């Protein structure tokens, strides 16, 4: 008879026991508490096991069901224990992390990095554009002979065009055929040096320092950088010159830049031209930078003069070429809005650091 | 060249706005630098006539002037000027007119307001040239031409637009109004109206004889003669034009010569015939010791060879540069000998340079004046003289043209146009473009035989004609293409590539790139040596350092014509410039100044261009700033690290740092950088702390560190592509080794011994501790290394490693007397 009365009781008791155990578990706060709880409820002689001792009194067919029920309760309690322990560990960890709190608004650790001089940066950018168009970079000496700086460039001695360049002469004996020693006034001598040594086709850009004997002010320096370009083959023409320089200007100043060629004069080219771009500041509407004209003059160029070709034994009937020369500082000044060329050689770190 | 549009209209009608004309001229190669509007601010200002002058009742120096300006009302004005008389035409400004304040330092335009002067109300002003912005003259009232139209707004009568031309040396022909007019005519299609000249020939005149001794320097000399002239001011219209062109009126004769020069481009000179001995003109070179007092009153010593105009008694003018004072036209002159000549440009240029005497005439002669122009300009001037100064003339008094030159014909082929411009232009189109510019031609099929107009001395070959056609077609109409030719074989030069790479390394190492002046002076460079120390070094290693990167002993190249003495020498060292830069920046902020530069020095080579050796130079101050302003000290090892980084990135196999005592540096904190070059070690640079005395000389008040490397040498030793090595799949055995040894022994010696004893299985040796102090005996130091052993093909066992380690320890004991710590 006892069987009939106790059998429905065991699930009820299990349920009550589970609720009790859960209540106790939520009060556990330390490892010792957990161990005690485990012994109390899940241990070999814990309360759940104790309860199951009464199973023997149940009808045989009831036993598996109740046994399964008891195991489920045990598993649930074990899982609850694990979860509670994990939660406690997380809480402890969270405390520890809080102790490590940082003020994330403090500045980061500075990365030590220098920077290239703005002239180098602009120079590299310009050279890169021409290199991608198949030009390669050549350099020449800064101290030159009259022959290369002038005579072979169709500027004979006493030619009035010599007044276009105020020249520094070196105190050294002139050499016959080569003339006086001087500081090159432009990078154009590199053209001649390359053509003397290389048969056509030629496609070069020649960067470098040049010198002018003039007073220094906001827009003039005695020393500055130029890039010379030269392309010679059996079909180069003025259209190609326009194309290369237009592509260059658009890469450097943006795809919407308009490029204007007007007739001009340099003794080593004929026809000669000056190139202006639409002002990148006002898009050609007129502003302070372009002196209200909408245009900025950026370089000089032209078709290589037959006398220059002849001087390097290129047949001007067969070969033709174009040449151009641009001032790097001028481009950098336009690009960055720098209003005084003297900044470039002042080497003030506060200026240089702006070009990181 | 200042081109007055009012004047220009005499030769060609200007149909475009001034701005549009300026644009078209600029595009065609005649650059207009500026468009100046004369009188654009004038209003309420009219041509008036003085009808009455009365003294001011209350002031001695003021007058009351009543003027007629074409209206019924005749206002009375107060003026302080005294150069006026009844019937004079003058500019009359009424209330509301805008005038330049003649008493202000800056040209300020002010509105004319009612004023009461000493009790008399003035209803306006009569104006000076300065008040109208027509010049600097404020001495008196601007007296207008008697023919000036009464009552006309002054703007209509005197207002003008000036195009300021910035001419390139090839287009000096546009230093003449008629040639500018021809350009305008060609560009706009308006008809050109050239002035027509005629010769005047009054018989029985005194004789003029011209004798050209130097036909190479004077191709032609045309002379004219006018007697019974009256010297006086030139007419107002001529003065106005000269002023507009930027020239000062002098007297009628001089003004006429200047006017015709501006008109045709032919400089003219007027002599007082009575002061030219025997009426004889001799064109010859100056003789040694000859003198001439020029028009500016300067007595000048002439160099033998300068071209002069002489009479039988001696030089009377510097040909084409400046006239002589003695034969100058004065108020008493009655007979004029007029010179129109063609001089050799080079000769004129040299004389002008030697005497530093630029003039409007020399400028034109230097660019070339065609001999054909001489008689034309002479005849034009003689006509003006007779008309303006009166007298009897013989235009063609003399004309010596020793070797008349034939104008060459130039062939222009249609094919050349296409070949050079990339645009098909029919030869007939080309001909149509050339004709209005004054070119004449004969056509043969697709070719033109072209003769340039006499003023276009710049046109001498087919390319010049191609430009003429192109600028008339318009550069903007030439198609825009890319080169279609073959790509040349070429590779970047190693020096360029490595320079770029070295810059990247230095930037990565925290240095800012500087660009310093390559021009300096010896004083600035010699600051690198302590006072009294010779640049000639006797010991081998310091001398090798000096020769490689600090050649202070080399005599630098100097400039013949420096702009300042600060920058009159080509530098032989780079370090001085960077130390100046360091000092300059340290003055502005306390810390963290790290600079580098890659740039040449110039080392003289007899009879040749100097060697341009490219050096990598770096400097740093004593401190750097790390996180949150922490001030960390830079040491020798900081800058040595940068040096090592460069050497490693260049892939240089064997380099060493050898202690060196160079006077620029701290004797015990400096190393020569050497690179193995076959069997020999070659010095390629130096790294170290700057000698305190040297730092002080540069105004650097803290320890400074520097590095200088010869980049050319590094490039020669560089290996561009490091060959790949497969990482070993076998584990390494890592062991520490600490030894105690004499503190004097360089650490590099330890590394050498360990490497020698360690053999191929010793993969690396890395220092991790240096100690000197109470824990080790006096005079000793402890060095601790991490040794990494690894075999490429197997796992090393402990016994193998122990054997090697024992061998290393034994070697260190025997060779360096080191003890295991």
């Amino acid at each position: 008879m006892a069987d009939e009365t106790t059998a429905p009781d065991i699930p009820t008791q299990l349920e009550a026991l589970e609720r009790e155990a859960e209540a106790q578990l939520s009060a556990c706060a330390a490892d010792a508490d957990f161990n005690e709880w485990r012994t109390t409820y899940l241990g070999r002689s814990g309360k759940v096991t104790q309860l199951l001792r009464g199973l023997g009194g149940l009808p045989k067919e009831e036993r598996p069901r109740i046994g399964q029920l008891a195991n489920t309760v045990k598993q649930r309690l074990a899982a609850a224990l694990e979860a509670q322990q994990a939660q406690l560990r997380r809480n402890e960890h969270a405390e520890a992390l809080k102790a490590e709190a940082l003020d994330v608004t403090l500045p980061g650790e500075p990365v030590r990095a220098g920077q290239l001089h703005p002239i180098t940066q602009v120079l590299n950018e310009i050279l890169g554009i021409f290199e991608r168009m198949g030009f390669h970079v050549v350099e020449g000496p800064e101290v030159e002979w009259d022959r290369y700086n002038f005579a072979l460039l169709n500027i004979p001695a006493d030619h009035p065009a010599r007044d276009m360049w105020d020249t520094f002469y070196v105190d050294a004996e002139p050499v016959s055929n080569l003339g006086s020693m001087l500081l090159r006034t432009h990078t154009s001598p590199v053209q001649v040096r390359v053509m003397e040594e290389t048969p056509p086709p030629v496609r070069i850009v020649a960067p470098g320092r040049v010198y002018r004997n003039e007073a220094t002010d906001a827009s003039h320096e005695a020393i500055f950088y130029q890039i010379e370009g030269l392309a010679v083959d059996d079909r180069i023409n003025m259209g190609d010159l326009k194309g290369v320089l237009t592509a260059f200007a658009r890469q450097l100043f943006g795809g919407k830049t308009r490029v204007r060629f007007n007739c001009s004069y340099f003794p080593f080219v004929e026809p000669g031209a000056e190139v202006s771009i639409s002002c990148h500041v006002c898009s050609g509407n007129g502003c302070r930078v372009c002196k209200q004209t909408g245009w900025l003059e950026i370089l000089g160029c032209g078709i290589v003069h037959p006398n220059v070709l002849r001087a390097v034994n290129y047949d001007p009937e067969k070969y033709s070429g174009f040449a151009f020369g641009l001032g790097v500082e001028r481009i950098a000044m336009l690009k960055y809005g720098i209003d005084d060329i003297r900044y470039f050689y002042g080497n003030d770190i506060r200026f240089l650091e702006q070009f990181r | 060249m200042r081109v007055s549009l009012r004047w220009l209209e005499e030769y060609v009608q200007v149909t475009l706005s001034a701005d549009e004309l300026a644009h078209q001229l600029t595009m065609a190669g005649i650059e207009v630098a500026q468009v100046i509007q004369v009188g654009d601010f004038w209003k309420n200002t009219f041509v008036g006539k003085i009808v009455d002058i009365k003294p001011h009742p209350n002031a001695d120096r003021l007058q009351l002037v009543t003027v007629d300006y074409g209206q019924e009302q005749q206002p009375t004005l107060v003026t302080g000027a005294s150069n006026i008389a009844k019937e004079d035409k003058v500019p009359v400004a009424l209330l509301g007119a805008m005038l330049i304040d003649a008493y202000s330092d800056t040209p300020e335009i002010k509105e004319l307001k009612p004023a009461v002067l000493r009790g008399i109300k003035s209803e306006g002003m009569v104006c000076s040239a300065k008040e109208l912005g027509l010049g600097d003259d404020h001495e008196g009232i601007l007296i207008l031409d008697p023919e000036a139209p009464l009552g006309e707004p002054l703007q209509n009568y005197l207002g003008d637009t000036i195009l300021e031309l910035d001419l390139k040396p090839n287009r000096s022909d546009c230093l003449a109004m008629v040639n500018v007019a021809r350009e305008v005519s060609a560009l706009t299609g308006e008809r050109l109206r050239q002035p027509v000249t005629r010769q005047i020939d009054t018989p029985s005149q005194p004789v003029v004889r011209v004798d050209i001794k130097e036909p190479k320097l004077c191709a032609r000399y045309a002379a004219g003669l006018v007697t019974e002239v009256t010297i006086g001011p030139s007419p107002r219209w001529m003065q106005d034009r000269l002023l507009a062109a930027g020239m000062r009126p002098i007297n009628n004769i001089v003004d006429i010569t200047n006017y015709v020069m501006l008109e045709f481009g032919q400089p003219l000179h007027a002599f007082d015939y009575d002061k030219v001995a025997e009426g004889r003109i001799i064109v010859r070179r100056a003789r040694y010791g000859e003198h001439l007092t020029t028009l500016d009153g300067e007595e000048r010593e002439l160099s033998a060879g300068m071209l002069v105009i002489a009479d039988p008694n001696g030089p009377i003018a510097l040909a084409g540069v400046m006239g002589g004072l003695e034969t100058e036209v004065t108020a008493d002159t009655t007979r004029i000998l007029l010179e129109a000549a063609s001089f050799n440009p080079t000769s004129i240029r040299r004389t002008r340079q030697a005497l530093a005497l630029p003039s409007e005439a020399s400028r034109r002669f230097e660019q070339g004046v065609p001999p054909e122009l001489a008689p034309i300009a002479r005849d034009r001037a003689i006509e003006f003289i007779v008309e303006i100064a009166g007298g009897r003339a013989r235009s063609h008094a003399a004309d010596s043209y020793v070797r008349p030159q034939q104008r060459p014909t130039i062939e222009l082929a249609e094919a050349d146009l296409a070949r050079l411009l990339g645009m098909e232009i029919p030869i007939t189109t080309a001909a149509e473009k050339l004709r209005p510019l004054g070119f004449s031609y004969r056509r043969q099929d697709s070719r033109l035989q072209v003769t340039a107009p006499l003023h276009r001395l710049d046109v001498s070959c087919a390319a010049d004609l191609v430009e003429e056609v192109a600028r008339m077609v318009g550069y903007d109409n030439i198609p825009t293409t890319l080169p279609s030719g073959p790509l040349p074989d070429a590779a970047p030069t190693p020096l360029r590539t490595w320079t770029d790479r070295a810059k990247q390394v230095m930037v990565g190492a925290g240095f800012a790139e500087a660009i310093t002046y390559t021009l300096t002076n010896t004083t600035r460079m010699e600051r690198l040596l302590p006072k009294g120390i010779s640049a000639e070094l006797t010991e081998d290693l310091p001398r090798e350092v000096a020769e490689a990167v600090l050649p202070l002993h080399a005599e630098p190249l100097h400039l013949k014509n420096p702009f300042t003495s600060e920058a009159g020498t080509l530098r032989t060292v780079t370090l001085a410039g960077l130390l100046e830069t360091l000092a300059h920046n340290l003055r502005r902020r306390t810390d963290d100044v790290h600079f580098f530069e890659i740039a040449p020095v110039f080392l003289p080579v007899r009879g040749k261009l100097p060697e341009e050796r490219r050096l990598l130079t770096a400097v740093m101050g004593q401190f750097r700033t790390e996180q949150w302003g922490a001030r960390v000290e830079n040491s020798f090892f900081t800058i040595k690290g940068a040096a090592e980084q460069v050497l490693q990135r260049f892939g240089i196999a064997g380099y060493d740092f050898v202690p060196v005592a160079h006077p620029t540096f701290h004797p015990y904190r400096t190393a020569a950088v050497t690179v193995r070059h076959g069997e020999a070690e070659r010095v390629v640079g130096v790294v170290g702390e700057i000698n305190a005395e040297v730092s002080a000389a540069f105004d650097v008040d803290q320890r400074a560190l520097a590095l200088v490397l010869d980049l050319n040498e590094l490039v020669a030793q560089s290996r561009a592509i490091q060959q790949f090595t497969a990482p070993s799949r076998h584990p390494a055995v890592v062991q520490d080794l600490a030894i105690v040894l004499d503190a004097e022994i360089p650490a590099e010696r330890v590394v050498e011994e360990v490497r020698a004893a360690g053999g191929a299985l010793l993969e690396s040796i890395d220092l991790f501790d240096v100690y000197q102090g109470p824990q080790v005996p006096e005079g000793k130091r402890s060095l601790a290394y991490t040794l990494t052993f690894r075999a490429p093909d197997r796992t090393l066992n402990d016994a193998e490693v122990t054997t090697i380690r024992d061998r290393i320890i034994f070697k260190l004991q025997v060779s360096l007397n080191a003890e295991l710590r």
Side-chain angles (χ1 to χ4, degrees), chain B residues 165-394:
Chain B
L165 306 186
D166 186 1
L167 293 170
K168 301 290 191 282
N170 66 326
R171 291 309 307 274
S172 55
D173 59 290
C174 288
L175 292 171
M177 293 297 290
V178 291
N179 295 334
V180 176
R182 187 183 287 281
E183 287 288 320
V184 173
S185 154
L187 287 169
T188 61
E190 292 298 322
R191 201 171 58 82
L192 181 70
R193 299 184 291 260
Q194 286 255 52
V196 182
T197 58
R198 63 184 179 93
Q199 287 190 357
I200 301 170
D201 196 7
T202 316
S204 67
Q205 288 280 9
V207 70
V208 173
R209 276 187 297 160
V210 173
D211 185 3
I212 300 177
K213 300 279 190 203
E214 298 284 347
K216 280 190 180 147
L217 302 188
C218 176
R220 186 170 196 170
Y221 196 106
L225 189 70
V226 195
T227 54
E228 298 163 45
V229 297
T230 310
I231 309 296
S234 58
R236 188 68 232 174
W237 65 267
M238 184 175 272
Q239 293 193 25
D240 287 342
R241 286 185 175 184
L242 291 175
L243 283 169
M247 294 191 87
R248 204 160 46 88
I250 312 252
N251 61 41
N252 47 13
I253 301 300
V254 175
D255 289 358
I256 288 165
T257 60
N258 283 334
Y259 183 88
V260 174
M261 174 180 72
L262 290 169
E263 191 175 41
F264 283 101
Q266 168 73 57
L268 300 168
H269 184 68
F271 295 100
D272 184 332
Y273 175 83
D274 293 302
K275 292 171 188 159
V276 177
E278 301 169 28
R280 274 186 66 192
I281 293 289
I282 305 159
V283 187
R284 62 164 170 88
R285 288 180 192 266
R287 296 180 191 124
Y288 182 78
E290 278 186 325
H291 289 254
L292 173 70
T293 304
T294 43
L295 282 174
D296 53 8
E298 293 273 324
E299 181 174 350
R300 295 174 189 273
E301 183 169 340
L302 308 179
S303 314
M306 287 177 174
L307 191 69
V308 295
I309 310 302
D311 66 11
N313 299 336
I316 56 171
L318 271 171
V321 177
M322 193 176 270
L325 191 63
E326 206 169 312
T327 50
E328 187 189 18
V329 172
T330 65
D332 306 328
T333 302
T334 59
R335 300 202 285 186
I336 300 288
L337 192 166
L338 188 73
E339 161 197 298
S342 176
F343 297 117
N344 176 287
T346 306
S347 162
I348 300 294
R349 181 181 160 86
R350 287 188 179 157
T351 304
R352 183 266 297 170
Q353 284 176 336
L355 298 176
L357 249 183
S359 66
E360 288 287 334
S362 70
R363 182 174 174 205
R364 284 167 175 81
F365 281 125
E366 282 181 43
Q367 320 267 9
V369 172
E372 297 89 333
L373 197 55
I376 300 171
R378 176 199 61 191
D379 295 351
R380 175 77 165 164
I382 298 282
E383 275 187 285
F384 276 128
I385 293 174
V386 170
E387 184 187 319
I388 291 165
R392 294 147 52 81
R394 175 181 276 177

Side-chain angles (χ1 to χ4, degrees), chain B residues 574-777:
Chain B
T574 44
L575 188 53
L578 271 194
L579 285 173
E580 287 172 5
T581 301
L582 180 68
H584 179 81
N585 280 279
L586 285 174
R587 274 198 292 277
R588 274 170 180 72
R589 60 194 235 185
T590 48
D591 286 340
D592 228 336
V593 181
H594 299 63
F595 278 112
F596 83 98
E597 178 172 24
I598 296 182
V601 291
F602 303 86
L603 307 175
V605 182
R606 227 185 129 69
K608 292 187 174 173
L609 293 179
E611 176 194 346
E612 296 188 15
R613 189 178 297 171
R614 192 171 290 186
L615 302 183
L616 184 163
T617 314
V619 294
M620 53 169 76
Q622 190 171 354
F623 303 100
R624 65 180 184 273
T625 310
E626 295 208 336
Q627 195 176 14
W628 303 341
R631 201 181 199 216
V632 177
E633 194 146 355
N634 285 324
S635 74
F636 168 81
F637 299 104
T638 319
I639 195 140
K640 184 182 173 185
E644 287 170 324
Q645 179 76 359
V646 172
L647 293 160
Q648 284 159 16
R649 291 283 289 273
F650 271 64
I652 289 169
Y655 58 81
D656 282 305
F657 289 82
V658 187
V660 68
H662 182 285
T664 301
F665 291 91
H666 188 303
Y668 302 104
R669 290 183 170 189
T670 300
V673 183
T674 66
V675 168
R676 239 159 281 151
H677 207 270
E679 287 301 291
E681 293 264 331
R682 177 174 293 186
V683 174
V684 299
V686 64
V687 56
E689 189 175 309
I690 299 291
N691 179 332
E693 205 181 321
V694 172
S695 309
F698 281 94
D699 271 340
V700 173
D701 57 356
Q702 54 177 255
R703 289 177 192 266
L705 299 152
L707 161 68
V708 194
L709 292 170
D710 176 352
L711 208 71
N712 298 72
E713 270 299 315
L714 294 188
V715 170
Q717 299 299 314
S718 65
R719 275 187 308 156
I721 301 165
Q722 307 268 3
Q723 290 296 306
F724 160 83
T725 317
S728 173
R729 278 175 293 146
H730 301 282
V733 176
V734 178
Q735 293 198 341
D736 288 349
L737 175 74
I739 53 168
V740 175
L741 73 172
D742 278 351
E744 306 277 284
I745 299 171
E748 191 59 27
R749 291 277 294 120
V750 176
V751 173
E752 283 165 17
E753 295 296 342
V754 171
R755 282 207 177 280
L761 297 177
L762 175 65
E763 189 179 75
S764 64
I765 165 167
D766 299 299
L767 180 79
F768 71 84
D769 189 43
V770 182
Y771 176 76
Q772 202 165 0
Q775 307 286 317
V776 294

